[in-house]
Structure formats: structure tokens, C-alpha cells
Amino acid sequence: MKYIDGFREPDAALFLRRRIEEHAEALAADGRTVRLMEVCGSHTMAVGRFGIREMLPPQVELISGPGCPVCVTGTGYVDAAIELAARDVTIATFGDMLRVPGSRSTLARARSEGARVEVCYSPEGALELARREPDRQVVFLAIGFETTVAPGVSLVRTAAREGLGNLSLLTAFKLVPPALEALIADPELSIDGFLCPAHVSAIIGAEAYRPVVERHGLPCVIASFEPLDILLGIDRLLELLVARRAELVNQYRRVVRPEGNRRAQELIAAWLEPVDADWRGLGSIPRSGLGLREEHASWDAARRFGITIGPGESNPHCRCGDVLRGKIRPPECALFGRSCVPARPIGACMVSAEGTCAAYYKYARTA
Ligand code: SF4
């Protein structure tokens, strides 16, 4: 049965494909090729699933960026979580984190050796664990981009209201706009425009990308995850590039407002402040993360347990760093599909369904 709905209408897809080809012909006539980056892991997954990368003309390269939260979480953070798990502490985490490699082990292995590592499907799950065993410390692994920050903060806010002193956060929250700035500044990369994330933009607002557009002259288009949304986003980016115009386009106006979600922003600002953050593959980026404010430091697991999050060590043959920067495609890593597969991941990008290597493995192994 042919699947048709408002976001997957075949005629609309063909129309957009033709428009993209026309833009590509205009670029070719000008002797130009362009590199677009899809920043978000959900985009990467959808691009793979619907074969969008393969349908683009040769003048247009679509590369994946550092938009998978698990993938960009540093090895040192995983080491710190494993160290905590070895103490008499319950670790509460989203499932993907279990298999992300630390320097020498994973949380999954720590669990198999007897550590209490519990999988949660939302931060609320960590709250339940803390309520159920008030005499046992629970640490929630607070990772992710702007989308997941507010739920993480509301976790400790609720704990504070309930007087639960046995819950804390090991924070590694990340912010998208500083990462875009770091990618633009990378001398080894050349990016002509960004397909900006959907859910993150719903929180930070479309205007958050204005500095990228105005300071660096790069077009930014916010698009959602349905195939037509992505095609439309690529169409708009190419249209701007052909005309040599740097503009900010909010193609996801049904959800994203220019100013974003003010309530979420206020909640985040009341509890967290910008900090330098370590990104797998991108290194330390100034003010690209969020940490608990001094007045809320008692909820910080690193301080509560005297844990230091160090740089960690990655497998020297794993090229997740280059994949996350869009410098190479996963098949260019010598381990891809050989010793590194989703069932036995060597790098973080093969763990999560939103990881670029996992998406390539699943949808585009021959690309
Ligand atoms: S294929 Fe595996 S080892 Fe290679 S970059 Fe991807 S995750 Fe790392």
C-alpha cells in the first residue's frame, strides 16, 4: 500500500527534487559545488532512512554534524560515570549511554559486574528511583542538547521541592550554537550552509542562529524531520546559495518561534550557567555547555562525590571525531562495518540510532 500523508506526499517530493536539481544546474553553470551540514542526529537518521543523500545531485554534498547527544559526550564523562557506578551509587541513564565506550570500559560492563545502572525512559524515572530508595544515592546522567536540558533541570527542582537529598546530576549538557561557531572556525572544514535542528530550535528559538548568519555569512534553515521537511530545507538552502544570500529561514514555523520557549529558557537560566564543555571530536569549546550554578552546586554529582571529569582516551583507530565534524563519511573509517558494528560498537557514533555511523550502517552501507 502506498503511504501518503501531508509530509510524505510523493508528488511534492518529486517537485522538490526537480527544484533541487535546477539549483544544482545553476551552481554547475557557475562552476560551484556546495557542502551543507545537517546538524541534528534525527536529521541524519531520516536522511539515511529516506535515501535523501543519494538523491542529491553531484554539486550538493550533505554532511552530518555533531548532533547526536550520546556521540558528542566525551570519553572522560563515561569514565566518571563508571567510577561513580563502582561506588555505592545508583546510576540512572538513558539506554544509549550503556554501550558508549569509555577509556577502558562501558556502563554496560560495569552493570554486568554488579554495579547498579538503571535505564530510564525520561528523567522522571530517576526521580522514581530516588523516591523508592531514599537511603541510596541516585545520579542521573544529564546529557543532551537544549531539548533535554529543561526536563533534567525540572528533575532536581522537583527533588528540591520534595526534600529528596539523594538525587544529583552528572552534567554534560551541550549547546548547539557554540558548536556551529567551532565548526565554522575549523580550518579543515568548509561548510556553505546549515540545516538547523528542529527540537533544539523549539527551545532556543530561530533567532539563536542570527549570529551565524550575520557574522559568518552562512545561510541557516530550520527544518523538521519528515522527508518533505528535509527536502524543503535543502531546497531553501540551495536557493539562497545560488543567489549568494545569507539568510535565516524558519521552515518549521508550525513549532519553532523566533524567541523560542521562554518558560524553558527561564527555568534553565535559574539553575544552570554556561561552562566550557568537552565535545568528542571537537575538543573543548568555550561556553558550549551548561553546568549547575554555584547556588545549586549541592545537586552536582561531581562535587558531591569528589569526581573529576578528565579528558579520557579513545580508541586511536576510531575516527568518530572526524565523523562528528563532517570531515569524513563513516565508510572512510577503516573499522566501519568490520570490527565496528552496532552490535559491537568501538566508537560512540555506532551506538545510538542517531549516530552517523549507525545510520550509515543501517541505511547506506554501500554509499
Ligand atoms: S565506524 Fe566505529 S570506529 Fe569508525 S568512526 Fe564510526 S564509531 Fe568510530
Side-chain angles (χ1 to χ4, degrees), residues 134-215:
D135 296 330
R136 188 178 172 85
Q137 289 290 325
V138 175
V139 173
F140 179 64
L141 301 188
I143 69 155
F145 295 106
E146 290 90 335
T147 327
T148 50
V149 175
V153 170
S154 60
L155 172 67
V156 279
R157 186 179 62 172
T158 306
R161 284 177 180 162
E162 294 184 13
L164 281 173
N166 62 327
L167 185 69
S168 55
L169 304 181
L170 190 64
T171 57
F173 291 128
K174 301 281 194 293
L175 302 173
V176 167
L180 300 189
E181 296 273 355
L183 290 166
I184 293 166
D186 189 331
E188 294 184 5
L189 293 181
S190 164
I191 300 167
D192 297 295
F194 289 109
L195 195 65
C196 296
H199 296 157
V200 162
S201 304
I203 303 297
I204 64 177
E207 287 301 314
Y209 305 103
R210 182 73 62 193
V212 170
V213 174
E214 293 185 350
R215 203 179 304 151

Side-chain angles (χ1 to χ4, degrees), residues 317-320 323 330 333 335-337 340 346-350 357:
H317 304 293
C318 168
R319 299 190 64 190
C320 276
V323 170
C333 170
L335 308 187
F336 177 82
C340 184
I346 288 177
C349 297
M350 192 60 95
C357 296

Side-chain angles (χ1 to χ4, degrees), residues 109-126:
R109 189 186 299 169
R111 184 163 76 165
S112 72
E113 291 167 356
R116 280 279 303 277
V117 181
E118 304 279 353
V119 172
C120 303
Y121 297 97
S122 73
E124 186 72 19

Side-chain angles (χ1 to χ4, degrees), residues 36-58:
L36 312 178
M37 176 176 275
E38 97 261 359
V39 177
C40 177
S42 297
H43 277 149
T44 299
M45 197 172 56
V47 163
R49 182 174 172 211
F50 296 105
I52 290 174
R53 209 180 310 277
E54 290 73 26
M55 74 188 275
L56 295 177

Side-chain angles (χ1 to χ4, degrees), residues 203-265:
I203 303 297
I204 64 177
E207 287 301 314
Y209 305 103
R210 182 73 62 193
V212 170
V213 174
E214 293 185 350
R215 203 179 304 151
H216 303 287
L218 291 183
C220 287
V221 175
I222 300 163
S224 188
F225 307 121
E226 289 291 342
L228 286 186
D229 283 313
I230 295 172
L231 287 175
L232 196 53
I234 294 169
D235 168 57
R236 296 306 307 275
L237 274 172
L238 293 177
E239 188 177 29
L240 292 169
L241 286 166
V242 167
R244 296 186 186 274
R245 292 204 318 266
E247 290 179 14
L248 172 60
V249 178
N250 181 4
Q251 200 60 60
Y252 194 31
R253 284 189 301 275
R254 60 187 189 272
V255 170
V256 176
R257 295 195 296 266
E259 73 283 8
N261 183 328
R262 291 267 195 241
R263 281 184 64 191
Q265 292 166 12

